[in-house]
Amino acid sequence: DAKTTQPTSMDCAEGRAANLPCNHSTISGNEYVYWYRQIHSQGPQYIIHGLKNNETNEMASLIITEDRKSSTLILPHATLRDTAVYYCIVRLLNAGKSTFGDGTTLTVKP
Amino acid sequence: GAVVSQHPSWVICKSGTSVKIECRSLDFQATTMFWYRQFPKQSLMLMATSNEGSKATYEQGVEKDKFLINHASLTLSTLTVTSAHPEDSSFYICSATHRNQPQHFGDGTRLSIL
């Protein structure tokens, strides 16, 4: 699996968009970008994934650069409940398992 | 959405006893289940991968005789921590997936060995 790099921590004001970056410069052509988040003392929650096109669902949007070496997870209107550790994972679609890095601790402030 | 249930959510037991943790996929058939361990302020570490009806594949450094994994059906996998000791105290998390679908995780089991 390709290695990912994320900032250790970020703050965001409640109601504003939270933009979480992830670098994955060694991603291979058939590897997908997955995002999960882990709220304190809970299991990780799947957010979104994509290959090369931008993706949007009810939780977030995923923007992948054209060269696929980086991506950004966007929470359009952050709430206090979005405070969590966000993990960016790159892997093959059929790899099954996910290898977790250290993630980004997002703190949403009132 | 896909739901994975993990039980118990919290267990305290004496050193030397064995503890069994159950992981169930409630609304889908999980072709593969995974077991992770997470120590305080650290990320998740994959322990093993199990496919229904076959032996689990353990990650390097994980003792297969200590962490027994059984994946007897497409909806149930169990992790048994045998002869648990205080250093086995951790947050254990299972996840399940069906073919190429994303992994979905249980809410974890906090294990404390006294």
Side-chain angles (χ1 to χ4, degrees):
Chain A
D1 294 346
K3 181 178 173 59
T4 62
T5 304
Q6 299 178 252
T8 302
S9 63
M10 294 181 64
D11 290 343
C12 177
E14 188 178 18
R16 303 296 294 270
N19 297 281
L20 293 97
C22 179
N23 287 323
H24 32 78
S25 59
T26 60
I27 191 171
S28 64
N30 52 356
E31 286 184 310
Y32 284 68
V33 180
Y34 289 79
W35 283 84
Y36 286 84
R37 71 180 182 184
Q38 185 177 26
I39 296 171
H40 184 61
S41 296
Q42 297 181 21
Q45 177 188 22
Y46 165 76
I47 301 173
I48 198 168
H49 74 286
L51 180 63
K52 55 183 178 180
N53 296 321
N54 297 338
E55 302 287 344
T56 296
N57 62 21
E58 65 278 5
M59 289 183 68
S61 294
L62 173 60
I63 308 298
I64 303 174
T65 58
E66 193 169 343
D67 64 7
R68 304 207 326 119
K69 293 185 177 182
S70 66
S71 61
T72 301
L73 178 75
I74 302 172
L75 307 178
H77 305 287
T79 70
L80 298 179
R81 289 179 296 180
D82 291 321
T83 292
V85 179
Y86 287 77
Y87 296 98
C88 168
I89 294 166
V90 172
R91 66 168 178 86
L92 297 171
L93 186 65
N94 59 359
K97 67 180 180 181
S98 296
T99 301
F100 286 78
D102 293 329
T104 296
T105 299
L106 174 69
T107 303
V108 180
K109 299 185 173 181
Chain B
V3 178
V4 175
S5 174
Q6 196 170 333
H7 179 80
S9 57
W10 182 60
V11 59
I12 300 174
C13 61
K14 293 181 179 180
S15 183
T17 60
S18 294
V19 179
K20 180 184 284 188
I21 302 169
E22 291 188 349
C23 178
R24 295 180 184 273
S25 56
L26 298 184
D27 53 357
F28 67 102
Q29 292 187 325
T31 48
T32 308
M33 288 185 167
F34 307 89
W35 289 95
Y36 291 81
R37 180 168 53 180
Q38 186 175 33
F39 292 107
K41 299 188 185 300
Q42 295 187 21
S43 189
L44 285 77
M45 294 292 293
L46 180 66
M47 298 175 67
T49 301
S50 74
N51 294 295
E52 185 264 339
S54 61
K55 289 184 178 181
T57 301
Y58 290 81
E59 296 297 303
Q60 191 172 7
V62 177
E63 301 174 56
K64 63 179 181 181
D65 294 331
K66 182 168 188 61
F67 299 99
L68 302 179
I69 292 171
N70 184 281
H71 191 167
S73 76
L74 285 172
T75 60
L76 174 64
S77 176
T78 61
L79 168 68
T80 301
V81 183
T82 62
S83 187
H85 291 285
E87 59 266 28
D88 298 321
S89 298
S90 189
F91 191 47
Y92 291 87
I93 308 168
C94 74
S95 73
T97 188
H98 177 73
R99 295 183 180 174
N100 294 334
Q101 297 302 309
Q103 279 181 273
H104 290 278
F105 290 79
D107 274 339
T109 296
R110 192 159 301 282
L111 175 63
S112 296
I113 310 297
L114 304 178

Short mmCIF file of all heavy atoms in Angstrom, two decimals, chain A residues 76-109:
data_model
loop_
_atom_site.label_atom_id
_atom_site.label_comp_id
_atom_site.label_asym_id
_atom_site.label_seq_id
_atom_site.Cartn_x
_atom_site.Cartn_y
_atom_site.Cartn_z
N PRO A 76 -18.29 20.02 4.49
CA PRO A 76 -18.76 21.35 4.06
C PRO A 76 -19.20 22.26 5.20
O PRO A 76 -18.98 23.48 5.12
CB PRO A 76 -19.92 21.02 3.13
CG PRO A 76 -20.32 19.64 3.44
CD PRO A 76 -19.11 18.94 3.93
N HIS A 77 -19.79 21.74 6.22
CA HIS A 77 -20.26 22.55 7.34
C HIS A 77 -19.94 21.80 8.64
O HIS A 77 -20.77 21.04 9.14
CB HIS A 77 -21.76 22.83 7.24
CG HIS A 77 -22.18 23.44 5.95
ND1 HIS A 77 -21.91 24.76 5.62
CD2 HIS A 77 -22.83 22.93 4.88
CE1 HIS A 77 -22.39 25.02 4.42
NE2 HIS A 77 -22.94 23.93 3.94
N ALA A 78 -18.75 22.01 9.12
CA ALA A 78 -18.30 21.21 10.27
C ALA A 78 -19.13 21.50 11.52
O ALA A 78 -19.50 22.65 11.80
CB ALA A 78 -16.83 21.50 10.54
N THR A 79 -19.41 20.45 12.27
CA THR A 79 -20.08 20.58 13.56
C THR A 79 -19.17 20.04 14.65
O THR A 79 -18.15 19.40 14.37
CB THR A 79 -21.40 19.80 13.59
OG1 THR A 79 -21.11 18.39 13.60
CG2 THR A 79 -22.27 20.13 12.38
N LEU A 80 -19.54 20.29 15.89
CA LEU A 80 -18.71 19.83 17.00
C LEU A 80 -18.56 18.31 16.97
O LEU A 80 -17.53 17.76 17.40
CB LEU A 80 -19.32 20.28 18.32
CG LEU A 80 -19.43 21.80 18.52
CD1 LEU A 80 -20.09 22.10 19.86
CD2 LEU A 80 -18.08 22.47 18.42
N ARG A 81 -19.58 17.61 16.46
CA ARG A 81 -19.54 16.15 16.39
C ARG A 81 -18.57 15.63 15.33
O ARG A 81 -18.33 14.42 15.26
CB ARG A 81 -20.94 15.61 16.13
CG ARG A 81 -21.88 15.74 17.32
CD ARG A 81 -23.25 15.22 17.00
NE ARG A 81 -23.91 16.01 15.96
CZ ARG A 81 -25.13 15.77 15.49
NH1 ARG A 81 -25.81 14.73 15.93
NH2 ARG A 81 -25.65 16.54 14.57
N ASP A 82 -18.05 16.52 14.53
CA ASP A 82 -17.04 16.09 13.53
C ASP A 82 -15.64 16.06 14.12
O ASP A 82 -14.68 15.69 13.43
CB ASP A 82 -17.07 17.04 12.32
CG ASP A 82 -18.35 16.90 11.51
OD1 ASP A 82 -18.83 15.76 11.35
OD2 ASP A 82 -18.86 17.94 11.05
N THR A 83 -15.49 16.46 15.37
CA THR A 83 -14.18 16.36 16.03
C THR A 83 -13.78 14.89 16.12
O THR A 83 -14.50 14.08 16.68
CB THR A 83 -14.24 16.99 17.43
OG1 THR A 83 -14.42 18.39 17.29
CG2 THR A 83 -12.97 16.71 18.21
N ALA A 84 -12.64 14.55 15.52
CA ALA A 84 -12.23 13.16 15.41
C ALA A 84 -10.83 13.09 14.81
O ALA A 84 -10.27 14.10 14.40
CB ALA A 84 -13.20 12.37 14.52
N VAL A 85 -10.30 11.88 14.76
CA VAL A 85 -9.06 11.64 14.01
C VAL A 85 -9.47 11.14 12.63
O VAL A 85 -10.25 10.19 12.51
CB VAL A 85 -8.17 10.60 14.71
CG1 VAL A 85 -6.90 10.37 13.88
CG2 VAL A 85 -7.80 11.06 16.11
N TYR A 86 -8.95 11.80 11.59
CA TYR A 86 -9.29 11.46 10.22
C TYR A 86 -8.11 10.75 9.57
O TYR A 86 -6.99 11.26 9.58
CB TYR A 86 -9.67 12.72 9.44
CG TYR A 86 -11.01 13.25 9.84
CD1 TYR A 86 -11.18 13.95 11.04
CD2 TYR A 86 -12.14 13.02 9.05
CE1 TYR A 86 -12.44 14.40 11.42
CE2 TYR A 86 -13.39 13.47 9.43
CZ TYR A 86 -13.53 14.15 10.61
OH TYR A 86 -14.77 14.60 11.00
N TYR A 87 -8.38 9.59 9.00
CA TYR A 87 -7.34 8.78 8.39
C TYR A 87 -7.52 8.73 6.87
O TYR A 87 -8.61 8.43 6.38
CB TYR A 87 -7.39 7.35 8.92
CG TYR A 87 -7.11 7.19 10.39
CD1 TYR A 87 -8.15 7.07 11.31
CD2 TYR A 87 -5.80 7.15 10.86
CE1 TYR A 87 -7.90 6.91 12.66
CE2 TYR A 87 -5.54 6.99 12.22
CZ TYR A 87 -6.59 6.87 13.11
OH TYR A 87 -6.34 6.71 14.45
N CYS A 88 -6.45 9.00 6.16
CA CYS A 88 -6.41 8.85 4.71
C CYS A 88 -5.64 7.56 4.41
O CYS A 88 -4.53 7.38 4.91
CB CYS A 88 -5.69 10.06 4.12
SG CYS A 88 -5.22 9.91 2.38
N ILE A 89 -6.23 6.67 3.65
CA ILE A 89 -5.62 5.37 3.38
C ILE A 89 -5.64 5.13 1.88
O ILE A 89 -6.65 5.37 1.21
CB ILE A 89 -6.41 4.26 4.10
CG1 ILE A 89 -6.29 4.43 5.62
CG2 ILE A 89 -5.93 2.88 3.67
CD1 ILE A 89 -7.29 3.62 6.39
N VAL A 90 -4.54 4.64 1.37
CA VAL A 90 -4.46 4.32 -0.06
C VAL A 90 -4.27 2.82 -0.20
O VAL A 90 -3.38 2.24 0.41
CB VAL A 90 -3.28 5.06 -0.73
CG1 VAL A 90 -3.09 4.58 -2.15
CG2 VAL A 90 -3.52 6.56 -0.71
N ARG A 91 -5.13 2.20 -0.97
CA ARG A 91 -5.00 0.75 -1.16
C ARG A 91 -5.74 0.30 -2.40
O ARG A 91 -6.54 1.03 -2.97
CB ARG A 91 -5.52 0.00 0.06
CG ARG A 91 -7.01 0.13 0.30
CD ARG A 91 -7.45 -0.89 1.35
NE ARG A 91 -8.84 -0.83 1.70
CZ ARG A 91 -9.81 -1.47 1.05
NH1 ARG A 91 -9.53 -2.20 -0.01
NH2 ARG A 91 -11.05 -1.39 1.47
N LEU A 92 -5.48 -0.94 -2.78
CA LEU A 92 -6.20 -1.53 -3.89
C LEU A 92 -7.65 -1.81 -3.49
O LEU A 92 -7.95 -2.05 -2.33
CB LEU A 92 -5.52 -2.85 -4.31
CG LEU A 92 -4.08 -2.73 -4.83
CD1 LEU A 92 -3.47 -4.12 -4.98
CD2 LEU A 92 -4.05 -1.98 -6.14
N LEU A 93 -8.52 -1.79 -4.48
CA LEU A 93 -9.94 -2.01 -4.22
C LEU A 93 -10.19 -3.37 -3.58
O LEU A 93 -11.00 -3.51 -2.67
CB LEU A 93 -10.72 -1.90 -5.53
CG LEU A 93 -12.24 -1.98 -5.44
CD1 LEU A 93 -12.80 -0.78 -4.67
CD2 LEU A 93 -12.86 -2.07 -6.83
N ASN A 94 -9.47 -4.38 -4.05
CA ASN A 94 -9.71 -5.73 -3.55
C ASN A 94 -8.71 -6.15 -2.49
O ASN A 94 -8.59 -7.33 -2.18
CB ASN A 94 -9.69 -6.73 -4.70
CG ASN A 94 -8.36 -6.73 -5.44
OD1 ASN A 94 -7.46 -5.97 -5.11
ND2 ASN A 94 -8.23 -7.58 -6.44
N ALA A 95 -7.99 -5.17 -1.94
CA ALA A 95 -7.00 -5.51 -0.90
C ALA A 95 -7.68 -5.88 0.39
O ALA A 95 -7.10 -6.58 1.21
CB ALA A 95 -6.05 -4.35 -0.68
N GLY A 96 -8.89 -5.39 0.61
CA GLY A 96 -9.60 -5.71 1.83
C GLY A 96 -9.12 -4.90 3.01
O GLY A 96 -9.79 -3.99 3.47
N LYS A 97 -7.93 -5.26 3.52
CA LYS A 97 -7.45 -4.63 4.74
C LYS A 97 -6.99 -3.21 4.48
O LYS A 97 -6.60 -2.84 3.38
CB LYS A 97 -6.30 -5.43 5.34
CG LYS A 97 -5.03 -5.42 4.49
CD LYS A 97 -3.94 -6.24 5.15
CE LYS A 97 -2.67 -6.22 4.32
NZ LYS A 97 -1.60 -7.05 4.93
N SER A 98 -7.06 -2.41 5.53
CA SER A 98 -6.58 -1.04 5.50
C SER A 98 -5.45 -0.87 6.50
O SER A 98 -5.54 -1.35 7.62
CB SER A 98 -7.71 -0.06 5.84
OG SER A 98 -8.73 -0.13 4.87
N THR A 99 -4.40 -0.21 6.08
CA THR A 99 -3.27 0.10 6.96
C THR A 99 -3.40 1.54 7.41
O THR A 99 -3.41 2.45 6.58
CB THR A 99 -1.94 -0.12 6.22
OG1 THR A 99 -1.87 -1.48 5.79
CG2 THR A 99 -0.77 0.19 7.14
N PHE A 100 -3.50 1.73 8.71
CA PHE A 100 -3.74 3.06 9.26
C PHE A 100 -2.42 3.75 9.63
O PHE A 100 -1.56 3.16 10.28
CB PHE A 100 -4.62 2.97 10.50
CG PHE A 100 -6.05 2.67 10.20
CD1 PHE A 100 -6.46 1.37 9.90
CD2 PHE A 100 -7.01 3.67 10.20
CE1 PHE A 100 -7.78 1.09 9.59
CE2 PHE A 100 -8.34 3.40 9.91
CZ PHE A 100 -8.72 2.10 9.61
N GLY A 101 -2.30 5.00 9.22
CA GLY A 101 -1.20 5.86 9.68
C GLY A 101 -1.65 6.58 10.94
O GLY A 101 -2.53 6.12 11.66
N ASP A 102 -1.04 7.72 11.19
CA ASP A 102 -1.35 8.47 12.41
C ASP A 102 -2.55 9.40 12.26
O ASP A 102 -3.10 9.87 13.25
CB ASP A 102 -0.13 9.27 12.85
CG ASP A 102 0.99 8.36 13.31
OD1 ASP A 102 0.69 7.27 13.83
OD2 ASP A 102 2.18 8.74 13.15
N GLY A 103 -2.94 9.72 11.03
CA GLY A 103 -4.13 10.53 10.81
C GLY A 103 -3.98 11.98 11.22
O GLY A 103 -2.92 12.41 11.70
N THR A 104 -5.06 12.73 11.01
CA THR A 104 -5.14 14.14 11.42
C THR A 104 -6.20 14.28 12.48
O THR A 104 -7.35 13.87 12.27
CB THR A 104 -5.52 15.04 10.22
OG1 THR A 104 -4.51 14.99 9.22
CG2 THR A 104 -5.73 16.48 10.68
N THR A 105 -5.83 14.88 13.59
CA THR A 105 -6.82 15.18 14.63
C THR A 105 -7.48 16.49 14.30
O THR A 105 -6.83 17.55 14.34
CB THR A 105 -6.15 15.24 16.01
OG1 THR A 105 -5.55 13.97 16.31
CG2 THR A 105 -7.19 15.58 17.07
N LEU A 106 -8.75 16.43 13.94
CA LEU A 106 -9.51 17.63 13.63
C LEU A 106 -10.31 18.04 14.87
O LEU A 106 -11.06 17.23 15.41
CB LEU A 106 -10.48 17.38 12.47
CG LEU A 106 -11.44 18.53 12.15
CD1 LEU A 106 -10.68 19.73 11.56
CD2 LEU A 106 -12.55 18.09 11.20
N THR A 107 -10.13 19.28 15.27
CA THR A 107 -10.90 19.81 16.39
C THR A 107 -11.79 20.92 15.87
O THR A 107 -11.30 21.91 15.32
CB THR A 107 -9.98 20.36 17.49
OG1 THR A 107 -9.09 19.33 17.92
CG2 THR A 107 -10.79 20.86 18.67
N VAL A 108 -13.08 20.73 16.00
CA VAL A 108 -14.05 21.75 15.59
C VAL A 108 -14.40 22.58 16.82
O VAL A 108 -14.82 22.03 17.84
CB VAL A 108 -15.31 21.12 14.98
CG1 VAL A 108 -16.29 22.20 14.55
CG2 VAL A 108 -14.94 20.23 13.80
N LYS A 109 -14.21 23.87 16.69
CA LYS A 109 -14.40 24.75 17.84
C LYS A 109 -15.63 25.64 17.66
O LYS A 109 -15.94 26.06 16.56
CB LYS A 109 -13.16 25.61 18.03
CG LYS A 109 -11.91 24.78 18.30
CD LYS A 109 -10.71 25.65 18.61
CE LYS A 109 -9.53 24.78 19.03
NZ LYS A 109 -8.33 25.60 19.38
#
